[in-house]
Amino acid sequence: NFAKFTEWPSTAFPNASTPLQVCVAGNADTLAGFGAIKGKIVQGREVQVRHMPKPAEAQWAGCSIVYLDPSQRTSIPGTLKSLAGLPVLTVSDVDNFVDSGGMLGLLLVDGRVRFDANRESVRANGLQLRAQLLTLARSVR
């Protein structure tokens, strides 16, 4: 649902039919969890899911969203640096992800999935999060 409430600059997609690619950096089990969104239409674009098992070697071209699973903890600083300035939404459930410069950090609070948002990182990459999304955040930095 984050993609529904994120605005990418017009330059983020070569044309109106370019898919919205969710790039999953991590293990195959994490990738399987993204199967439910594959083929959905968000903002008029088909969602594609791409596995990026080794983000340090990854080619981020075409990624609209990058999800970093906990197995990628040590590579997060380098990955965020490589994505700096690119119109790519970064999401993870690694502790303190937004404090490290990530955009949306998932966490479990009282048995429910919540998230923190780093609006500064979002803006620095040319993206915007709609107010409807930010009002749902546990905290916004």
Side-chain angles (χ1 to χ4, degrees), residues 32-94:
F34 284 85
I37 64 169
K38 189 176 180 182
K40 300 271 187 197
I41 304 297
V42 174
Q43 296 190 26
R45 299 180 184 282
E46 179 184 358
V47 175
Q48 294 181 348
V49 178
R50 192 167 83 186
H51 190 209
M52 312 288 277
K54 297 179 181 178
E57 301 169 15
Q59 298 286 329
W60 299 115
C63 295
S64 306
I65 299 173
V66 169
Y67 174 79
L68 300 156
D69 83 4
S71 71
Q72 304 304 307
R73 183 178 327 277
T74 59
S75 65
I76 285 176
T79 299
L80 293 176
K81 185 176 180 180
S82 71
L83 293 168
L86 299 176
V88 177
L89 183 69
T90 58
V91 183
S92 182
D93 57 348
V94 171

Side-chain angles (χ1 to χ4, degrees), residues 3-55:
K4 292 179 183 178
F5 299 100
T6 302
E7 295 177 22
W8 282 266
S10 59
T11 56
F13 301 98
N15 59 58
S17 64
T18 301
L20 189 141
Q21 284 196 38
V22 178
C23 297
V24 180
N27 61 45
D29 292 336
T30 300
L31 179 66
F34 284 85
I37 64 169
K38 189 176 180 182
K40 300 271 187 197
I41 304 297
V42 174
Q43 296 190 26
R45 299 180 184 282
E46 179 184 358
V47 175
Q48 294 181 348
V49 178
R50 192 167 83 186
H51 190 209
M52 312 288 277
K54 297 179 181 178

Side-chain angles (χ1 to χ4, degrees), residues 81-111:
K81 185 176 180 180
S82 71
L83 293 168
L86 299 176
V88 177
L89 183 69
T90 58
V91 183
S92 182
D93 57 348
V94 171
D95 292 339
N96 302 313
F97 182 66
V98 296
D99 295 332
S100 301
M103 297 176 196
L104 297 175
L106 306 173
L107 58 153
L108 198 59
V109 178
D110 298 328

